[in-house]
């Protein structure tokens, strides 16, 4: 692959190629920052424009929009507590508290650097080892996936700031919400209570935006009015000084590895990666006590992981011709449109094109920093508006975003209800992140568990015989679950004594 | 205020919802295929967990009385209700016609009384969004039943 | 209230849109093609490739919108409840229009639509991993009979075309009680499981099969496939009607009650668009098998399919 780089560079560094990369990344950032537009809609919007382009620029444009939108989602997550995409939900946890503290610029600085590093490393990994990794991913069957998701769920414990019990209640509610709709095995409608709209379940983004953004608007409205207050103070991205990185490198490296690894697996996705990485950082970071209160380590964990997923997700797509998610499916479709047959022979038949895609992806990630600064600079004046105007506009944007997710009027009502319920639960001190985690991971947990049981003829014990990866993952999950409980009990014992 | 306060009521409601949903899984006519094939296999695990933890939470709330700060009830209710109405009407009356009165109402409720920016924002922002999405990006927001272009 | 508003708006703005569109003036405003799945999927791509040609043939603007959920039923239900103006058309696949209404409680059925035209149709194929030693249907049959419960077939979800294809194959061969079904969420994860040999059989269109290292076993078409002349048709291996022919087709539908002249105009424009050079090239590039039927032919075909598919649905136990 490396020996093809000069040829690949010739494909990328043309006027059209560079224009496509710059404009695509910029557009991706803007669209990603608008709540609800998200990666899938952004990529689909761009699709018609690629029809008239030649192969390489067409794919590069889609990639640029994709990578840009994943990063862009963090901007609104940090500034207005509204994740632009589900994968940025974990970014809210520490990003928004930092912004409230008046460090919005710095928070964006951390997230930008983390995103860039995550993306760059995943591009290098793609370039060096895509076929090998794709083969490795095939070892991940339903049983291994089940174990991995179980591990992911343990982060509910770590994101339950305040009350562990309330966090677990929120997590159960989230898991339950994920069950509503057609049964994944039999297709029967569950908990729809005659509402045919519910057959497809609650839309994830509608619930996420409701419980994070809309409930925040209500909480703000419920607080005592303060005149001429702005929501957050923000002038532009402030890059953290190199010295501030001390002690954070290890966490960054680990998060990038987690993002890459999970991105390769089919059907898990960036939101899962961000949460698992966040949980791991909270377990091992030297600053773990500050998580949830605006700790840069938390931001680094989620942002580097979700951007690393973008590269990882391309591995099975390009190496096996099997799309991991909706976005990579669009890319495969675009390849077909341009006369390239996706499939296991893709890399052998079109080595230069693939090398160009990989290296273009590297260039895109390099541009996240300057373009991100530009976009957030432009967005800064908007944030200086008075709180009342901001709140009204957040609701409008949420409505527009959720409408575009799939054009379904019912989703808008779901968002409204989620906002009001989220407001009531948050007043009681219940954290909303576990609810979202439950809803993100629940469906995959259920289908992988039941698929596993079908394979083993209903024996749960057989999950761990002949599935060493699964056994190891479940052990780690058990450890992560019990450790904080033990520490908490000990602390309680000490304070009582 | 007696034994009930907002926190306790919320916790109690959560317990009741879990119990109701759980009893629903046993009452309904689902195909009893047994084990992993039953559609209720996984939800029952989750609902039992929810019920158990929510009960613990209720006990914790009852043991130690904690109060929430007093909210601006009127403002919250106005904004919540108008948001729901806006979300409902936006796919029926069109985005623009629903967004303008909604934005104005929210701004007035939140004490924005200066008429010029109030009108500018409540008309301008929806107009800009419609222009952007319906006419520039051709990714249309819902339009009104009166004209296709807004 | 809404009526009053409507009148008021009509007078004040001078918009003459309350007047029903006359067929000769059609279209007076952009026509909306509704895709019942998320943007970016195969169906979405096809409709977006078709829209510009359709617009040109119609002499107006055409835009595509997506409304996903419930395997396409959410969009179909929404459109079924719309006024039949001819300005909103849905691109429904075989599953949305003939299968989902028979397995789910949805507010539309076979009589909710005026079919406009069919655009594409590809037969489905049962295939297996090329690395295993099942090369013919007979070998497959004896292997499954020898070890009941060992083999698994996958699908992209219960009730999907991938599910019905495998069910038609194994029910048609009398093997349903000796093989297990493992549903996935979408074709991607299922194909990956196929490559990993977690599942052994999957059924989809020829195009999807060619993406991986897979071996076709049965073609669900009336005659052998051009690209795979050695693969027997379902009828040849002893699968009886109506399980022997399965096509993944799609076409445009308008809500029932649409003005006949408007339907004729749309159907004709659709024919021009399907046969245009631009769409032919698009179809060749995306390996879409074009299959145009005008409003009348499509109506007959659609109703026949609705009946035939109920047999497969019974076999699948949905």
């Amino acid at each position: 692959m490396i020996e093809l780089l000069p040829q690949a560079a010739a494909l990328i560094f043309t006027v059209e190629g560079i224009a496509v990369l710059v404009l695509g990344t910029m557009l991706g950032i803007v669209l990603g920052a608008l709540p609800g537009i998200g990666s899938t809609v952004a990529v689909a919007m761009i699709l018609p424009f690629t029809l008239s382009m030649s192969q390489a620029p067409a794919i590069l444009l889609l990639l640029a929009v994709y990578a840009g939108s994943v990063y862009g989602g963090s901007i609104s997550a940090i500034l207005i507590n509204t994740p632009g995409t589900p994968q940025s939900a974990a970014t809210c946890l520490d990003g928004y508290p930092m912004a409230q503290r008046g460090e919005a610029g710095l928070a964006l600085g951390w997230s930008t650097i983390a995103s860039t590093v995550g993306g760059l490393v995943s591009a290098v990994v793609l370039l060096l080892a895509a076929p090998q990794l794709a083969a490795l991913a095939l070892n991940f069957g339903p049983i291994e996936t089940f174990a991995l998701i179980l591990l992911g769920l343990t982060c509910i414990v770590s994101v339950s700031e305040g009350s562990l019990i309330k966090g677990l209640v929120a997590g159960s509610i989230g898991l339950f919400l994920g069950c509503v709709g057609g049964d994944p095995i039999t297709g029967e409608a569950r908990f729809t209570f005659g509402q045919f709209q519910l057959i497809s379940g609650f839309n994830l983004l509608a619930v996420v935006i409701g419980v994070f953004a809309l409930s925040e608007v209500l909480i703000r409205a419920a607080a005592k009015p303060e005149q001429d207050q702005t929501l957050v103070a923000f002038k532009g991205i402030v890059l953290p000084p190199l010295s501030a990185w001390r002690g954070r490198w290890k966490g960054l490296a680990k998060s990038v590895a987690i993002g890459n690894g999970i991105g390769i697996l089919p059907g898990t996705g960036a939101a899962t990666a961000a949460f698992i990485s966040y949980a791991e950082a909270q377990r091992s970071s030297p600053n773990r006590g500050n998580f949830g209160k605006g700790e840069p380590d938390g931001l680094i964990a989620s942002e580097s992981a979700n951007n690393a997923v973008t590269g990882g997700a391309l591995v099975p797509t390009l190496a096996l011709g099997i799309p991991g998610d909706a976005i990579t499916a669009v890319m495969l479709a675009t390849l077909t449109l341009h006369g390239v047959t996706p499939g296991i022979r893709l890399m052998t038949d079109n080595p230069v094109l693939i090398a160009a895609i990989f290296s273009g992806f590297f260039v895109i990630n390099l541009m996240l920093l300057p373009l991100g600064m530009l976009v957030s600079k432009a967005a800064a004046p908007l944030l200086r508006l008075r709180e009342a105007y901001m709140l009204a506009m957040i609701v409008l944007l949420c409505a527009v975003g959720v409408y575009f997710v799939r054009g379904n009027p019912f989703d808008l009502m779901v968002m409204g209800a989620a906002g009001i319920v989220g407001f009531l639960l948050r007043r009681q001190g219940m954290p909303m992140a576990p609810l979202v985690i439950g809803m993100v991971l629940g469906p995959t947990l259920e289908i992988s568990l039941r698929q596993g049981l079908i394979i083993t003829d209903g024996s749960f014990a057989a999950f761990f015989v002949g599935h060493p990866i699964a056994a190891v993952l479940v052990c780690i999950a058990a450890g992560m679950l019990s450790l904080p409980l033990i520490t908490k009990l000990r602390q309680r014992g000490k304070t009582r004594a | 205020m007696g034994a009930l306060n907002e926190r306790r009521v919320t916790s109690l409601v959560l317990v009741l919802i879990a119990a109701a949903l759980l009893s629903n899984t046993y009452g309904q006519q689902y195909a009893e295929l047994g084990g992993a094939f039953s559609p209720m296999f996984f939800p029952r695990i989750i609902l039992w967990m929810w019920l158990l933890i929510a009960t613990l939470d209720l006990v914790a709330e009852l043991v130690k009385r904690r109060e929430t700060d007093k909210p601006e009830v009127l403002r919250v209710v106005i904004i919540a209700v108008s948001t729901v109405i806006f979300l409902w009407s936006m796919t029926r009356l069109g985005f623009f016609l629903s967004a303008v009165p909604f934005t104005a109402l929210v701004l007035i409720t939140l004490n924005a009384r200066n008429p010029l920016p109030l009108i500018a924002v409540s008309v301008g922002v929806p107009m800009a969004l419609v222009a952007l999405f319906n006419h520039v990006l051709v990714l249309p927001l819902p339009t009104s039943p009166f004209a296709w272009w807004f | 209230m809404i009526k009053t508003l409507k009148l008021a708006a009509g007078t004040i703005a001078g918009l003459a849109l309350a007047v029903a569109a006359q067929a000769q003036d059609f279209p007076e405003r952009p026509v909306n093609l509704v895709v019942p799945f998320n943007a970016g999927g195969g169906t979405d791509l096809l409709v977006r490739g078709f829209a510009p040609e359709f617009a040109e043939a119609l002499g107006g603007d055409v835009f595509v919108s997506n409304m996903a959920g419930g395997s396409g039923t959410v969009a179909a239900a929404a459109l079924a409840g719309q006024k039949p103006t001819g300005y909103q058309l849905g691109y429904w696949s075989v599953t949305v229009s003939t299968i989902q209404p028979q397995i789910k409680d949805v507010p539309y059925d076979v009589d909710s639509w005026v079919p406009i035209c069919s655009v594409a149709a590809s037969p489905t194929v049962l295939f297996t991993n090329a690395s295993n030693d099942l090369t013919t249907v007979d070998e497959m049959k004896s292997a499954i009979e020898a070890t009941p419960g060992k083999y698994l077939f996958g699908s992209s979800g219960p009730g999907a075309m991938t599910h019905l294809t495998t069910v038609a194959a194994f029910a048609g061969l009398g093997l349903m009680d000796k093989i297990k079904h493992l549903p996935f969420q979408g074709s991607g994860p299922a194909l990956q499981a196929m490559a990993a040999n977690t599942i052994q059989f999957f059924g989809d269109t020829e195009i999807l099969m060619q993406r991986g290292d897979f071996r076709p076993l049965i073609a669900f078409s009336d005659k052998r496939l051009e690209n795979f002349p050695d693969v027997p048709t379902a009828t040849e291996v002893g699968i009886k009607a109506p399980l022997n022919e399965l096509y993944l087709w799609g076409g445009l539908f308008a809500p029932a009650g649409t003005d006949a002249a408007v339907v004729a105009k749309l159907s004709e424009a659709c024919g021009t668009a399907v046969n245009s050079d631009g769409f032919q090239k698009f179809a060749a590039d995306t390996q879409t098998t074009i299959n145009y039927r005008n409003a009348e032919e499509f109506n007959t075909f659609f109703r026949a399919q609705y009946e035939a598919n109920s047999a497969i649905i019974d076999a699948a136990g949905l």
Side-chain angles (χ1 to χ4, degrees):
Chain A
M1 190 72 26
I2 300 207
E3 65 283 358
L4 295 170
L5 283 182
Q7 278 167 281
L11 267 178
I12 298 172
F13 296 107
T14 57
V15 177
E16 190 188 13
I18 293 173
V20 152
L21 288 178
V22 173
L23 291 177
T25 313
M26 185 99 120
L27 196 66
I29 297 174
V30 174
L31 292 174
L34 294 173
I37 300 290
S39 308
T40 324
V41 180
V43 167
M45 265 168 67
I46 292 304
L47 192 60
F49 298 99
T50 64
L51 295 179
S52 55
M53 295 180 177
S54 55
Q55 273 178 13
I59 297 291
L60 288 175
L61 179 60
L62 290 179
L63 262 182
V65 172
Y66 177 30
S69 65
V70 171
Y71 163 71
S74 69
I75 298 180
S76 46
I78 290 170
L79 294 179
I80 53 177
N81 202 27
T82 307
T85 56
Q87 58 257 41
S88 303
T91 307
C92 290
L93 302 179
D94 279 290
Y96 188 60
M98 265 185 98
Q100 282 178 311
R101 210 162 60 201
E103 294 174 4
L106 193 61
L108 275 178
W110 285 111
S111 83
T112 308
I113 303 267
S115 296
T116 308
V117 173
L120 285 179
V121 174
S122 79
V124 174
V125 170
L126 256 182
L127 208 54
L128 295 180
Q132 292 85 337
L133 284 173
L136 207 66
L138 288 183
N139 290 326
F140 242 78
I143 295 175
E144 284 79 13
T145 308
F146 170 74
L148 178 77
I149 298 297
L150 212 57
L151 177 62
L153 274 177
T154 58
C155 64
I156 284 182
V157 175
S158 48
V159 297
S160 301
E161 85 267 20
S163 162
L164 182 59
I165 291 182
K166 289 201 190 295
L168 290 174
V169 174
S172 316
I173 298 175
L175 284 167
F176 171 75
L177 291 178
C179 293
V180 174
D183 179 275
I185 303 284
T186 67
E188 258 177 281
R190 301 187 301 192
F191 306 107
T192 56
F193 301 104
Q195 272 283 322
F196 119 90
Q197 288 277 8
L198 275 178
I199 288 176
S200 51
F202 290 111
N203 181 267
L204 173 65
L205 205 65
V207 174
V208 170
I209 291 189
V211 297
F212 277 145
L214 210 53
S215 74
E216 178 73 18
V217 168
L218 293 177
I219 282 184
R220 293 261 163 181
K224 290 269 171 289
E226 282 170 61
Q227 278 299 309
D228 294 323
Q229 189 191 25
T230 52
L231 210 55
V232 290
F234 176 64
K235 292 194 182 65
I237 292 185
V238 180
L239 291 182
L242 211 57
S243 59
W245 280 92
R246 188 176 313 214
R248 302 191 201 272
W249 292 110
K250 232 173 93 190
L252 177 67
K254 213 186 296 179
S255 306
V256 171
I258 291 174
N260 258 309
I262 291 179
I264 294 166
L265 306 174
T268 32
T272 310
F275 277 118
I276 291 186
S277 159
Y278 185 86
E280 168 55 26
Q282 193 182 35
R283 191 188 62 80
S284 60
S285 157
N287 310 311
R288 63 182 86 89
N290 295 329
F291 269 59
K293 295 173 206 139
E295 167 55 45
D297 277 2
L299 262 179
I300 293 170
S302 70
E303 274 305 303
S304 58
N306 71 23
N307 274 70
V309 167
T310 52
L314 289 175
V315 168
T317 311
L318 297 178
L320 298 174
I322 295 168
D325 55 22
I327 298 149
T328 44
V330 180
M331 284 180 200
L332 281 187
T334 315
L335 278 174
T336 341
L337 269 181
H338 287 91
V340 182
T341 313
I344 39 175
R345 284 166 295 274
L346 178 70
M347 289 180 91
T348 19
D349 291 352
N350 312 279
V352 178
L353 177 67
I354 300 299
I357 292 176
F358 290 175
S359 27
F361 186 64
F362 190 87
V363 177
I364 291 163
N365 279 293
L366 274 182
M367 290 189 312
L368 285 183
L369 178 60
L371 292 179
M373 291 179 94
L374 208 67
V375 169
S376 36
K377 189 102 199 156
L382 276 179
L383 287 155
R384 269 182 236 125
L385 285 172
R386 273 189 39 204
E387 187 175 305
Y389 294 98
M390 270 314 286
L391 295 181
M393 273 199 266
I394 289 175
V395 181
L396 290 186
L397 279 180
C398 291
V400 170
V402 168
Y403 179 75
F404 281 133
V405 172
R406 46 181 199 176
N408 191 335
F410 183 73
D411 290 346
L412 290 168
M413 303 318 289
V414 169
M415 175 182 84
I420 293 170
V421 172
F423 166 72
L424 292 172
L425 295 179
R426 281 178 68 182
R427 277 187 58 76
Q428 206 214 23
M430 190 177 286
M432 285 295 107
L435 191 149
V436 172
I437 295 169
M439 218 181 142
V440 168
L441 301 182
T444 320
L445 182 75
E446 171 172 17
I447 193 163
S448 58
L449 169 65
R450 290 172 65 192
Q451 281 176 335
L453 288 172
I454 290 175
I455 293 173
T456 62
D457 286 313
S459 157
F460 188 66
F463 268 44
F464 309 104
V465 183
H467 295 279
I469 306 178
V472 169
L473 287 173
V474 168
C475 289
I476 302 177
M480 281 177 84
L481 207 57
S482 48
L483 264 178
L485 284 174
I486 294 168
T487 351
K488 259 193 191 143
L489 285 177
R490 264 200 201 147
Q491 279 169 348
R492 194 171 290 174
K494 268 180 201 158
T495 44
R496 287 232 175 111
Chain B
M1 239 212 308
L4 289 179
N5 65 7
E6 192 192 321
R7 293 181 70 109
R8 288 176 180 176
V9 171
T10 312
S11 293
L12 180 66
V13 169
L14 287 177
V15 173
L16 293 178
I17 291 176
L21 286 170
L22 193 59
S23 73
N24 178 268
T25 70
Y26 290 98
Q28 288 224 2
Q29 295 291 311
Y30 289 107
E32 272 308 327
L33 297 161
F37 286 100
S38 165
M40 284 300 129
F41 166 72
F42 185 75
R44 267 180 204 153
I45 302 177
I46 300 301
L47 286 170
W48 272 114
M49 189 168 90
W50 175 354
L51 183 64
L52 211 77
I53 305 167
T55 312
L56 278 179
D57 175 54
L58 180 64
V59 170
E61 289 291 346
L62 289 175
V63 167
K64 195 172 167 202
R65 190 189 180 94
R66 279 175 293 184
E67 295 294 341
T68 40
D69 49 345
K70 281 238 175 320
E72 295 268 326
V73 179
L74 187 67
R75 277 171 46 165
V76 173
V77 169
I78 293 178
I79 290 183
V81 170
S82 61
T83 300
V84 171
I85 295 174
F86 159 63
L87 293 174
W88 182 84
S89 73
M90 121 176 199
T91 49
R92 289 165 180 82
L93 281 180
F95 178 77
F96 182 77
L97 291 185
S98 318
V100 172
F102 165 75
T103 316
L105 182 65
V106 169
L107 291 179
I108 293 167
T109 315
L110 293 173
N111 291 332
R113 292 287 154 76
N114 195 344
L116 199 66
L118 196 149
I119 293 170
V121 168
S122 50
V123 177
V125 172
M127 198 156 36
L129 287 171
V130 168
L132 175 69
F133 285 107
N134 292 30
H135 302 287
V136 179
L137 297 172
V138 203
L139 189 78
L141 284 162
T143 51
S144 68
F146 318 120
W148 61 269
W149 41 269
F150 74 86
Chain C
M1 177 65 190
I2 289 180
K3 246 182 202 156
T4 340
L5 271 177
K6 195 177 205 166
L7 279 175
T11 356
I12 294 164
L15 300 167
L17 285 165
V19 185
Q22 297 295 309
Q24 59 266 32
D25 302 330
F26 186 90
E28 290 180 312
R29 54 191 170 104
V31 173
N32 179 11
L33 299 183
V34 179
V35 175
F37 302 109
N38 265 327
T43 310
D44 179 65
L45 187 73
L46 178 73
V47 178
R48 284 178 197 273
F50 176 73
E53 307 296 339
F54 189 50
E56 197 175 315
L58 206 55
D61 279 332
V62 171
F63 67 95
V64 179
S65 65
N66 302 80
M67 188 191 271
S71 313
T73 55
V74 168
L79 191 57
Q82 293 289 326
K83 262 188 254 143
T85 56
Y87 286 107
Q88 267 195 312
L89 308 174
Y91 184 90
W92 307 155
S93 64
V94 52
T95 33
V96 175
S97 59
T98 73
I99 295 166
Q100 293 291 341
Q102 304 195 53
I103 59 175
K104 278 184 197 154
D105 188 17
V106 296
Y108 68 92
D109 61 14
V110 67
D111 293 319
S112 304
W113 312 112
V114 187
I116 303 281
C117 64
S118 76
V119 175
S122 324
T124 60
V125 180
L126 179 81
F127 53 92
T128 185
N129 195 328
S131 67
N132 68 33
D133 48 9
L134 307 170
T135 51
T136 66
V137 176
D138 286 335
E139 281 175 24
M140 172 183 95
K141 217 172 151 177
S142 46
I144 294 172
E145 275 167 351
T147 47
K150 182 190 162 205
Y151 289 95
L152 292 146
F153 67 83
S155 75
S156 56
M161 207 54 196
T162 53
H163 184 200
L164 298 188
T165 303
T166 40
V167 164
F170 296 113
L173 295 169
L175 295 168
M176 268 310 260
D177 52 344
K178 299 189 180 66
I179 189 162
K180 291 191 284 188
H181 173 214
L182 198 63
F184 288 80
Q185 285 174 313
S187 281
L191 286 178
Q192 185 134 1
M194 183 89 151
N197 212 21
T198 308
I199 56 171
Q200 287 77 39
F201 306 102
F202 195 69
D204 211 318
T205 55
E206 202 182 318
I207 310 147
L208 221 87
M209 185 197 71
Q210 286 171 324
R211 287 200 182 159
D213 211 356
F214 304 130
R215 175 190 303 135
L217 291 170
I218 306 174
F220 286 85
S221 51
D222 52 352
K223 51 181 186 294
R224 290 195 174 200
L225 302 174
E226 226 169 272
N227 294 333
F228 299 97
D230 298 335
V231 178
T233 64
T235 319
E236 287 173 48
V237 300
I239 297 172
K240 305 241 171 341
L243 303 185
N244 61 338
E245 283 183 35
L246 284 171
Y247 297 92
L248 190 62
W249 54 261
L252 294 180
F253 288 83
T258 307
D259 186 41
V262 170
V263 170
K265 194 156 189 177
L266 286 168
S267 175
E268 196 195 318
C270 174
T272 316
V274 169
N275 291 316
S276 66
D277 291 344
F279 190 68
Q280 291 285 342
K281 185 180 177 304
F282 175 88
D285 287 345
T286 52
Q287 295 178 298
T288 307
T289 318
I290 291 181
N291 185 311
Y292 172 73
R293 286 183 176 88
N294 66 24
E296 212 168 301
E297 295 159 353
F298 188 34
N299 190 25
T300 319
F301 175 76
F302 164 58
R303 284 169 192 277
Q305 280 274 304
Y306 200 90
E307 291 304 315
N309 284 336
S310 70
I312 307 171
I313 291 165
D314 282 344
L318 288 163

